Amino acid sequence: MASNSRTGGSGRKKGPTKGSGGKNRRSLQGRGPTPKAEDRVYHKAYKAKQARQAAGASQQAKRRKKELGPNMVAGRNSVLEALREDVPATALYVVGRIDSDDRVRESIKIAAERGISMLEASKPDLDRLTDDAIHQGIALQIPPYDYAEPEDLLEFAADRAEAPLLVALDGITDPRNLGAIVRSVAAFGGHGVIIPERRAASMTAAAWKTSAGAAARIRVAQVVNLARTIDELKKQNVFVVGLDMDGDVELPELSFSRDPLCIVVGSEGKGISRLIADKCDQIVSIPIAATTESLNAGIAAAVSLYEVARTRRG
């Protein structure tokens, strides 16, 4: 049977077909590389990543809360040493009916003489208050440290009509090193210590104890941004020198000793960070006999402070 169309039985027109005119160009473009599994919302790797971030944030918040809240010293030896060193305390907790020994009795005696509140607690209570530390039935509550501002340290020096002598710590995470440096600042006529707020040791009971009472006389300032604080000190004509074994000059040759001065001490492992080193007016080294050796941060600070004090007296 003949078809009634000129195009044949299929009914389709022969020849080139009409294009889209570019209307579907976007649909022909690639969508780029496939996102990582942890970036795809419905993938289990994404959920695992979110869980890790949440756990990290929780731990950081818990750590921050602990720093801002009361600090507990646990254990008979630690409590007694803290009380002997006049570490400020607000309460002494003792488990009722414990087998007391000379350390417990002396702790109670010192607390009574200093007017520190004494509270009877149960073992579960002390477990909770000390985060399950080995408390041996006794714990001492230390109030949060009242940090100063860097300007307070400069005012302290001005009140004594002395050129400011400060120590800034970059990356010091051991509170015992912090306490030892506070003690050295007091011993060699310094006016204060500056510490960063994050990733650094704070004025805990361990720092108080190591300072051997010096923390009651030397203020510690805590700052959000150490680099910015150094810039502000320099604007107030304070020379900033960093301690490093590859320093430009050796400590005895330091020409800024008699001027307003801030000594930056880095961690023993990593030293001063690159950013802070670039902010310093000069990098100074401590001459030691063996170039392969390094000094503990607390010792390095003490040696530097002694040399500056000696120069100033001379």
Side-chain angles (χ1 to χ4, degrees), residues 141-164:
Q141 180 175 290
I142 309 299
Y145 184 80
D146 183 19
Y147 289 101
E149 297 292 335
E151 293 77 11
D152 299 331
L153 310 184
L154 297 178
E155 290 178 6
F156 178 52
D159 291 342
R160 297 172 61 173
E162 297 172 347

Side-chain angles (χ1 to χ4, degrees), residues 195-215:
I195 61 174
E197 187 177 285
R198 299 179 60 191
R199 294 187 291 273
S202 56
M203 284 302 296
T204 60
W208 266 101
K209 189 169 63 176
T210 310
S211 76

Side-chain angles (χ1 to χ4, degrees), residues 32-47 49:
T34 303
K36 295 180 180 178
E38 61 182 17
D39 294 331
R40 285 181 255 162
V41 178
Y42 299 105
H43 198 283
K44 63 179 182 180
Y46 174 85
K47 297 178 181 179
K49 178 183 176 181

